[in-house]
Amino acid sequence: AVVSTQSTGTVRGRQRNKRRGTIRKTNYGKIRKKQYNKKHKVVITNDIVRENWDKTKTIKENFSDLGLVADPNAAYRTTHHKKVQPQEMEVEFAALSEYKDTQRETEETGKETEVVRKLEEQSKETAPVIRHFSPAECELWEGLVSDHGSDYKAMARDKRNTHQHTPKQIRRKIESYLTFKNSGYKTKMGCVG
């Protein structure tokens, strides 16, 4: 005989909550919107752009206001793949005074050119990237140069060339190593540059 532990008059769990009206319905639209916003959050790392960024505008509007291009591919799109027949057109040339007026208008806005100018100055100030070498690499390149001089083909055949670099790859790596060495930079591991 099967004995039921539930009493017939009581309702449990979810059913009870249904009766009381305390079950919350999940708003999937809200969850999806949060996920979308988290994924598409705009993070601006450049200080100059961040100062001039308008949060009420879209990304494309902000870029166009700052004088930048949101999609670099769109700036250089060509139509060379489409065969377009040239059409005869009548062309009117504008007077020089009209051209000067439009040039003044763009200079008066100034914000976009100012941002672009600041970004160009910032890019000129950045230091060149120096590749760092491990002590094992330093030892390898020093040994190859001391044994073979500038004979990169012999270096490629050397048994120490375990990564099987080609002569051109070895030449590039040794050139970058020599710039690293001449820069006077020391790594934490003790490889003197």
Side-chain angles (χ1 to χ4, degrees):
V2 177
V3 179
S4 175
T5 56
Q6 284 185 347
S7 61
T8 55
T10 61
V11 182
R12 300 168 126 215
R14 187 171 168 85
Q15 296 297 323
R16 183 180 63 229
N17 289 341
K18 273 186 187 175
R19 279 191 183 170
R20 291 182 184 169
T22 57
I23 289 182
R24 291 191 185 127
K25 292 182 180 176
T26 307
N27 188 349
Y28 290 105
K30 203 178 223 181
I31 293 169
R32 202 173 296 116
K33 190 175 180 183
K34 278 185 184 178
Q35 288 173 345
Y36 178 85
N37 289 340
K38 192 183 287 186
K39 190 187 288 184
H40 293 85
K41 187 178 180 184
V42 178
V43 179
I44 305 162
T45 55
N46 191 304
D47 296 332
I48 297 166
V49 176
R50 193 182 313 120
E51 288 170 6
N52 297 301
W53 193 264
D54 187 3
K55 291 183 180 178
T56 59
K57 295 181 181 177
T58 64
I59 296 172
K60 285 187 179 179
E61 288 172 348
N62 268 309
F63 271 104
S64 63
D65 287 350
L66 297 174
L68 303 172
V69 180
D71 183 12
N73 294 326
Y76 294 106
R77 277 208 183 106
T78 59
T79 58
H80 64 82
H81 58 278
K82 296 180 183 176
K83 293 182 179 178
V84 180
Q85 295 293 330
Q87 299 174 354
E88 291 185 20
M89 295 175 59
E90 206 170 297
V91 180
E92 293 181 26
F93 292 100
L96 188 60
S97 60
E98 291 177 26
Y99 174 73
K100 288 182 179 176
D101 291 339
T102 56
Q103 194 174 10
R104 279 193 205 113
E105 288 173 11
T106 55
E107 288 175 358
E108 286 171 5
T109 56
K111 185 177 182 183
E112 60 198 38
T113 56
E114 183 68 24
V115 170
V116 172
R117 188 184 57 75
K118 284 182 182 177
L119 287 172
E120 286 173 352
E121 285 176 12
Q122 186 182 28
S123 68
K124 288 176 185 174
E125 293 171 3
T126 56
V129 178
I130 297 172
R131 186 195 179 294
H132 302 288
F133 288 85
S134 68
E137 279 181 304
C138 293
E139 189 178 318
L140 171 69
W141 302 132
E142 284 288 335
L144 288 175
V145 169
S146 65
D147 289 352
H148 301 289
S150 62
D151 187 9
Y152 300 112
K153 288 184 180 178
M155 290 181 198
R157 290 190 304 268
D158 197 297
K159 67 178 180 181
R160 288 174 288 185
N161 182 14
T162 54
H163 294 288
Q164 297 184 346
H165 294 301
T166 64
K168 280 189 177 181
Q169 289 173 329
I170 292 173
R171 191 191 79 228
R172 279 198 309 264
K173 287 179 184 287
I174 287 179
E175 284 173 359
S176 65
Y177 170 69
L178 292 174
T179 57
F180 167 74
K181 184 180 175 187
N182 295 336
S183 68
Y185 185 84
K186 293 184 180 179
T187 61
K188 292 178 183 176
M189 301 297 288
C191 179
V192 179

